[in-house]
């Protein structure tokens, strides 16, 4: 019997190119792993008329762990984002985004080490937009229960991982009820974690502070939309979207994926940076208690980036996705 069976989605755009390389990495790490592979997203829609076929859903339910390359949601009326749909289907309420400087060579800022806890199931992502006499309005939903569980998760995670300071990000000065609720729940819960320093910042100020002094921050908890925007901003601090991994976590099910999208503009060119996906794989290994293998992978990536000889185009190099992977494998 194999040790791990996971659900794997090779996705759209650059997805298949980086998935192929991820499998080579897992093989080189000597992982005893098997994949249940399914199409979701645009290619699934073209082939089966469904963005997320039922078999894929059943497989996630059974395996409880999935690794997902980026997918494309077709543009147009009636298509709900595949990513949002998966998060809601499995109630994956935490979007965990660790953003750290892997190598000072490719990062604009030295020694950044941030974790962003983004609420993953409500806020403006409910996608409810309605017509008014002169346009539309969008519904932003913030509830007590969902705010409590993400904020509690963030504090518990920090205790477990020995982190010291958390910043709650909001716009409660304008959105007094919705963001006001999120902030007041944060202020209640922080009293249970006196060993952790806590503060809060308004989203616009937070963007400026992060760009000016990213090293002043440790962990960030935020409602869905601010968490989304801040994580792309933070990815930019450490070298761009090609380096940012994420985990979508529920109480029983976890889906790991890169922060970036399917990058259709570079599809098939063999130049995609697979690092964010590899780091998402490392996050998955940590989740599966394969911390030693996760660390080997992260160290190998760090060594390649430090040497700076074999880099993909987004990091200023000329290496293909495969050549970069070969180099990582040589350091494992
Ligand atoms: P989505 O809506 O799915 O986020 P998007 O086109 O807005 O899609 P991305 O697909 O993340 O966003 O792409 C943003 C830009 O970053 C594109 O120019 C893309 O080529 C580049 N990019 C994204 N991921 C990578 C990667 N892994 N390697 C190299 N470039 C990338």
């Amino acid at each position: 019997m194999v040790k791990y069976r996971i659900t794997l989605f090779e996705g759209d755009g650059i997805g298949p190119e980086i998935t192929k390389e991820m499998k080579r990495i897992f093989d080189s790490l000597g992982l005893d792993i098997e994949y249940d592979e399914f199409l979701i997203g645009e290619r699934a829609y073209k082939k089966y008329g469904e963005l997320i076929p039922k078999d894929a859903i059943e497989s996630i339910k059974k395996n409880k762990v999935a690794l997902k390359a980026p997918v494309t949601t077709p543009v147009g009326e009636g298509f709900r984002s595949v990513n949002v749909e998966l998060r809601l289907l499995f109630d994956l309420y935490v979007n965990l985004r660790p953003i750290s400087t892997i190598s000072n060579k490719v990062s604009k800022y030295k020694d950044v080490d941030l974790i962003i806890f983004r609420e993953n199931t409500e806020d403006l992502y409910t996608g409810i937009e309605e017509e008014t006499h002169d346009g539309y309005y969008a519904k932003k939903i913030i509830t007590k229960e969902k705010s409590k569980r993400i904020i509690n998760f963030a504090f518990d995670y920090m205790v477990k991982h020995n982190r010291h300071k958390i910043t709650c990000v909001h716009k409660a000065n304008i959105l007094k009820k919705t963001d006001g609720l999120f902030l007041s729940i944060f202020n209640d819960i922080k009293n249970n974690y006196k060993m952790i320093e806590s503060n809060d910042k308004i989203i616009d100020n937070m963007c400026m502070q992060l760009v000016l002094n990213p090293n002043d921050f440790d962990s960030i908890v935020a409602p869905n939309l601010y968490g989304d925007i801040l994580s792309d901003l933070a990815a930019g601090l450490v070298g761009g979207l090609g380096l940012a991994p994420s985990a979508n976590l529920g109480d029983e099910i976890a889906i790991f994926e890169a922060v970036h999208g399917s990058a259709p503009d570079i599809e098939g060119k063999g130049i995609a940076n697979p690092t964010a996906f590899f780091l998402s794989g490392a996050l998955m290994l940590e989740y599966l208690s394969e911390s030693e293998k996760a660390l080997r992978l992260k160290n190998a990536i760090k060594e390649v980036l430090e040497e700076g000889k074999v880099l993909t185009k987004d990091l200023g190099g000329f290496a293909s996705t495969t050549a970069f992977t070969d180099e990582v494998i040589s350091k494992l």
Side-chain angles (χ1 to χ4, degrees):
M1 228 176 76
V2 289
K3 192 160 179 200
Y4 303 110
R5 176 174 288 279
I6 65 158
T7 304
L8 182 65
F9 301 116
E10 67 169 19
D12 298 306
I14 58 171
E17 298 163 51
I18 58 177
T19 304
K20 189 180 83 187
E21 307 301 350
M22 181 83 261
K23 285 177 167 172
R24 288 210 294 136
I25 296 274
F26 285 156
D27 283 349
S28 305
L29 282 169
L31 266 175
D32 189 12
I33 190 165
E34 266 183 20
Y35 312 103
D36 288 339
E37 296 195 51
F38 296 90
L39 285 183
I40 53 171
E42 193 172 59
R43 285 166 64 215
Y45 187 74
K46 283 185 184 150
K47 201 161 170 188
Y48 310 116
E50 277 180 305
L51 283 175
I52 311 178
K54 293 199 177 49
D55 291 356
I57 296 174
E58 288 310 313
S59 173
I60 297 177
K61 277 189 193 154
K62 192 171 103 226
N63 293 330
K64 311 246 184 290
V65 176
L67 183 61
K68 176 181 151 295
V71 300
T72 306
T73 301
V75 181
E77 283 281 314
F79 292 119
R80 190 164 182 178
S81 153
V82 173
N83 294 337
V84 173
E85 194 65 31
L86 283 175
R87 291 165 191 170
L88 294 180
L89 258 174
F90 298 108
D91 200 21
L92 306 176
Y93 60 93
V94 182
N95 194 212
L96 177 80
R97 298 185 165 193
I99 307 234
S100 54
T101 306
I102 308 170
S103 155
N104 288 333
K105 292 257 175 63
V106 296
S107 180
K108 291 217 185 306
Y109 296 83
K110 287 187 171 42
D111 307 322
V112 173
D113 181 15
L114 290 169
I115 294 200
I116 299 178
F117 301 94
R118 165 187 171 192
E119 201 289 324
N120 220 8
T121 59
E122 55 179 8
D123 197 355
L124 279 169
Y125 289 74
T126 50
I128 304 168
E129 293 183 298
E130 282 167 21
E131 199 159 5
T132 66
H133 74 284
D134 190 30
Y136 300 92
Y137 73 89
K139 263 192 193 161
K140 173 178 167 101
I141 297 179
I142 302 281
T143 62
K144 281 185 204 156
E145 183 216 339
K146 292 186 173 170
S147 304
K148 270 187 197 160
R149 63 182 185 174
I150 181 72
I151 294 168
N152 272 320
F153 180 97
F155 275 104
D156 287 342
Y157 185 99
M158 292 184 67
V159 171
K160 207 165 150 203
H161 292 83
N162 220 356
R163 301 192 67 103
H164 305 293
K165 185 175 154 192
I166 187 161
T167 305
C168 173
V169 179
H170 59 88
K171 187 80 183 172
N173 54 333
I174 303 294
L175 297 162
K176 294 181 197 296
K177 298 239 159 73
T178 47
D179 285 9
L181 176 64
F182 194 85
L183 177 61
S184 79
I185 289 173
F186 176 82
N187 284 332
D188 283 348
I189 292 178
K190 74 181 187 193
N191 294 322
N192 303 332
Y193 297 86
K194 293 258 162 54
M195 65 298 238
I196 292 175
E197 198 187 329
S198 52
N199 63 7
D200 69 272
K201 294 238 175 298
I202 293 172
I203 177 70
D204 38 351
N205 180 28
M206 182 69 185
C207 290
M208 184 189 68
Q209 299 290 339
L210 258 184
V211 171
L212 283 176
N213 302 306
N215 303 96
D216 284 355
F217 298 92
D218 171 332
S219 302
I220 294 165
V221 65
N224 210 337
L225 181 63
Y226 310 140
D228 189 14
I229 295 169
L230 284 176
S231 23
D232 273 29
L233 185 154
L237 303 174
V238 300
L241 279 178
L243 303 177
S246 80
N248 298 283
L249 307 172
D251 287 331
E252 280 189 19
I253 289 174
I255 301 181
F256 298 84
E257 64 184 339
V259 167
H260 61 72
S262 58
D265 53 333
I266 55 167
E267 176 181 357
K269 294 188 175 158
I271 57 169
N273 183 353
T275 305
F277 198 44
F278 293 171
L279 292 172
S280 308
L283 271 182
M284 183 186 82
L285 294 180
E286 281 163 10
Y287 183 83
L288 294 172
S289 301
E290 290 282 357
S291 303
E292 184 267 335
K293 288 188 166 67
L295 190 63
R296 268 173 66 199
L297 174 52
K298 288 196 283 189
N299 284 341
I301 292 170
K302 184 179 168 72
E303 213 181 311
V304 175
L305 298 186
E306 284 287 327
E307 283 181 3
K309 288 188 293 205
V310 183
L311 298 178
T312 46
K313 193 162 174 250
D314 57 312
L315 298 180
F318 303 97
S320 67
T321 311
T322 302
F324 176 82
T325 309
D326 288 342
E327 192 68 9
V328 173
I329 288 173
S330 76
K331 314 278 188 204
L332 281 173

